[in-house]
Amino acid sequence: MAEKRVVDEGNQDDMGRILGYYVYADTEIWFEDDKVSRKDGPAVITPDGVERYYVNGKEITVEVRDFFAEHRWNPKKALSTPEKVAAFQEKFCK
């Protein structure tokens, strides 16, 4: 099960080092087994709504956007049903 952590002033530098880029306070980051990872949605969500997908510590945002386009899913509603989550997991979480 993924654990969500919220970036604040106290952990901002550490979270930025983990991701490899500057991270704003209030960014939400999901971890599984101490790796940035989420198997049912974006693993990083910034305060302004930018979503980045990671599985087992590897960013797959571009591949996920292509997958959504291929299926003609709205990115903001893409994983809104159990069937869509299952298709996502089949493609990216093997």
Side-chain angles (χ1 to χ4, degrees), residues 35-39 43 53-60 88 92-94:
K35 296 178 185 174
V36 179
S37 185
R38 187 172 174 200
K39 296 180 177 148
Y53 288 80
Y54 287 75
V55 173
N56 298 322
K58 179 183 177 206
E59 184 171 9
I60 58 168
F88 174 85
F92 297 106
C93 302
K94 296 179 185 177

Side-chain angles (χ1 to χ4, degrees), residues 12-87:
Q12 192 171 21
D13 289 340
D14 291 337
M15 295 296 113
R17 278 191 283 282
I18 289 168
L19 293 173
Y21 50 84
Y22 182 81
V23 182
Y24 291 96
D26 297 325
T27 296
E28 299 172 338
I29 305 171
W30 280 259
F31 289 85
E32 291 181 16
D33 299 324
D34 293 323
K35 296 178 185 174
V36 179
S37 185
R38 187 172 174 200
K39 296 180 177 148
D40 62 354
V44 177
I45 303 175
T46 65
D48 60 351
V50 173
E51 298 178 342
R52 298 177 106 160
Y53 288 80
Y54 287 75
V55 173
N56 298 322
K58 179 183 177 206
E59 184 171 9
I60 58 168
T61 302
V62 172
E63 294 89 341
V64 170
R65 288 183 185 153
D66 291 345
F67 181 72
F68 291 168
E70 176 185 320
H71 286 82
R72 298 179 187 213
W73 295 345
N74 177 332
K76 293 296 180 188
K77 298 179 183 178
L79 300 177
S80 58
T81 67
E83 295 80 16
K84 289 179 179 181
V85 171

